Amino acid sequence: MWDRLRSSFWFLPSTMAAGAAALSFALVWLDTVLDDGVIERLGWLYGFGPEGARAVLSAVAGSMITVAGLTFSMTMLTLQLASSQFGPRLLRSFMSDRGNQLVLGTFTSTFLYCLLVLRTVRGTEEASFVPHISVTIGVVLATLSLAVLIYFIHHIANSIRIETVLAELARETQAVIDRLYPTQLGQEPSPRDAHATAGLLRELEADCHDVFVEGSGYVQRLDEAAVMRIATEHDLMISINAPPGRFVTERDAVLRAAPRARASDEVLDRLREALVVGRDRTPTQDLHFALRRFVEIAQRALSPGINDPTTALYCIDRLSQALCSLAEREFPSAVRADEEGHPRVITPVSSLEEFACPALVAVARYGMNDADVVRQLVTATAEISAKAGPGAREALRALGGALAAESRSTLKAFDGGRV
């Protein structure tokens, strides 16, 4: 829920608007309890009459709603440009941009504040009331909004630069790596661990209860701590069949709990609540998707319609940065045990080559005719293999050799055999 709120345009502006409404009520109340002598001694307040206060508040409110409309139009134009240039999967990053949400919230909050204060100004013969403090704060908010507008122009121009986009994606990907593969977490699975895992899976499938979800979608998040806690409390063995990023339907078993006799309906409901299934993939626990975003931008840049190999080179650099960081991590075992050492959870664990090779090959498929792209890919495989373990090192070196060989044969075909 928090992730969805963060990536929405309405949550932060709505919160700021509610705060502006509360501020207007509080300041108007303060104006009513202070006598005219205190107001006169505060020389920094605006000493407008009723008509002057209405004019100022009306001007600020009108200008703010106009600027808010302009801001919204520019934001929509930026989203359209990002979707066409970088891919629709990048829209989530732009929508969750705190700067854009803050700017829109500032303008709408100032408009709402001035509108609510404007209704309290009275200038009739029977009664006259001018909330001087509230009007002054309205002018302060208008000045602040002007500074925010200048910031927005700079921010929106900087946010669509490919360097900025890739740097932000690299930061998110590094956060995913730190969260899923912290330093010194477990050990890389050994052949003995793999054999033991296969045996546990056979025992589990013989007497298990499947856990299904309602509807269909992508597994966005899995509360591993809750799954481990449930397995320990009820002496269960749980297999995770659908890790984050997997598409599931109501017919797919996302989890399996054994033995069947101890997997009651209440336990199955608790396990089901440990999963979050949504319409799209998110990089929160899905490292494959986080890396795939670099691949998508590179593929679009290498397409004939765009033909921007320099952007592809930037993507390969950032992809190599993330994979090198991943290569330095200890991969956990597929079998997770409780505090007493009893096996409780079996979860799929992807190896480094399962992350690196498909991503690099996907970029190479579009850039084999560009010597710079191939050279960068070969360099990336060498850098990653230098930090990888023995198994992944051999796979990456083989991939680098295949890329170099395929590039030479392709260029010879286009150059009449002179290369």
Side-chain angles (χ1 to χ4, degrees):
M1 180 67 69
W2 177 242
D3 185 67
R4 293 175 182 173
L5 292 177
R6 285 181 61 253
S7 59
S8 64
F9 266 140
W10 62 267
F11 177 68
L12 182 59
S14 299
T15 304
M16 295 177 65
L23 179 64
S24 68
F25 291 129
L27 292 179
V28 169
W29 173 82
L30 183 62
D31 277 304
T32 59
V33 299
L34 295 179
D35 55 30
D36 294 338
V38 176
I39 298 298
E40 292 177 357
R41 287 195 296 270
L42 297 176
W44 51 272
L45 297 178
Y46 281 88
F48 294 120
E51 293 301 324
R54 289 196 187 100
V56 170
L57 292 174
S58 299
V60 173
S63 61
M64 286 302 103
I65 197 63
T66 301
V67 174
L70 176 63
T71 302
F72 183 78
S73 300
M74 293 178 64
T75 303
M76 291 299 101
L77 182 62
T78 303
L79 292 178
Q80 181 182 4
L81 178 63
S83 178
S84 60
Q85 292 291 326
F86 308 135
R89 261 63 59 186
L90 269 296
L91 288 182
R92 180 182 179 277
S93 298
F94 281 90
M95 292 182 65
S96 59
D97 190 318
R98 278 286 181 270
N100 294 337
Q101 297 175 6
L102 181 64
V103 169
L104 187 60
T106 300
F107 295 145
T108 55
S109 300
T110 304
F111 166 75
L112 181 61
Y113 173 87
C114 293
L115 207 61
L116 293 176
V117 174
L118 182 61
R119 70 181 179 85
T120 65
V121 179
R122 296 187 297 273
T124 62
E125 295 181 357
E126 292 80 8
S128 177
F129 174 70
V130 178
H132 296 284
I133 297 179
S134 302
V135 173
T136 302
I137 296 301
V139 175
V140 172
L141 291 176
T143 305
L144 178 63
S145 299
L146 180 61
V148 170
L149 177 61
I150 298 174
Y151 159 78
F152 175 72
I153 296 173
H154 167 77
H155 177 74
I156 204 70
N158 186 61
S159 64
I160 59 177
R161 296 177 62 243
I162 185 60
E163 295 85 357
T164 304
V165 173
L166 293 177
E168 180 63 22
L169 293 182
R171 184 191 64 79
E172 291 184 7
T173 304
Q174 186 61 47
V176 176
I177 295 174
D178 293 339
R179 184 164 52 248
L180 298 181
Y181 298 94
T183 306
Q184 304 301 328
L185 173 63
Q187 296 180 352
E188 188 173 354
S190 63
R192 178 181 300 178
D193 293 332
H195 180 73
T197 302
L200 290 173
L201 284 174
R202 286 193 296 270
E203 294 178 6
L204 189 145
E205 292 176 356
D207 181 25
C208 69
H209 208 311
D210 293 336
V211 179
F212 301 92
V213 294
E214 297 180 358
S216 61
Y218 292 94
V219 179
Q220 296 178 338
R221 191 176 184 89
L222 173 66
D223 191 345
E224 295 181 353
V227 173
M228 177 63 73
R229 182 169 58 252
I230 295 170
T232 304
E233 291 176 358
H234 298 275
D235 193 19
L236 295 171
M237 174 75 72
I238 298 176
S239 172
I240 300 175
N241 294 348
R246 183 77 57 83
F247 182 81
V248 296
T249 65
E250 61 274 5
R251 298 180 301 273
D252 298 326
V254 293
L255 299 173
R256 285 180 174 174
R260 189 183 184 91
R262 288 196 288 267
S264 62
D265 292 339
E266 180 185 357
V267 172
L268 297 181
D269 290 338
R270 291 180 61 188
L271 289 173
R272 196 174 293 111
E273 292 174 355
L275 288 164
V276 177
V277 178
R279 292 173 296 180
D280 52 358
R281 298 176 70 177
T282 61
T284 307
Q285 291 183 342
D286 188 359
L287 184 55
H288 284 284
F289 176 70
L291 298 174
R292 184 70 191 179
R293 296 181 297 178
F294 295 110
V295 175
E296 181 177 359
I297 297 176
Q299 289 175 336
R300 284 178 173 268
L302 292 171
S303 63
I306 298 179
N307 193 23
D308 183 14
T310 302
T311 296
L313 297 180
Y314 290 162
C315 294
I316 296 172
D317 287 336
R318 292 295 186 177
L319 187 61
S320 175
Q321 173 191 354
L323 292 172
C324 285
S325 176
L326 182 62
E328 296 174 346
R329 303 302 173 96
E330 295 278 347
F331 282 73
S333 172
V335 180
R336 311 292 174 86
D338 58 16
E339 296 180 354
E340 298 180 359
H342 301 299
R344 293 298 181 189
V345 179
I346 302 176
T347 180
V349 177
S350 298
S351 60
L352 176 62
E353 56 268 29
E354 291 175 335
F355 285 111
C357 293
L360 296 173
V361 170
V363 177
R365 191 177 297 115
Y366 285 76
M368 289 307 299
N369 296 332
D370 192 297
D372 293 333
V373 172
V374 175
R375 187 182 303 111
Q376 198 79 349
L377 286 170
V378 173
T379 302
T381 56
E383 292 176 351
I384 301 169
S385 63
K387 301 178 182 298
R393 185 182 302 121
E394 294 301 323
L396 289 167
R397 287 178 177 175
L399 174 61
L403 291 175
E406 180 66 22
S407 176
R408 283 194 294 268
S409 62
T410 302
L411 292 178
K412 283 181 181 180
F414 279 95
D415 199 42
R418 292 192 299 270
V419 177

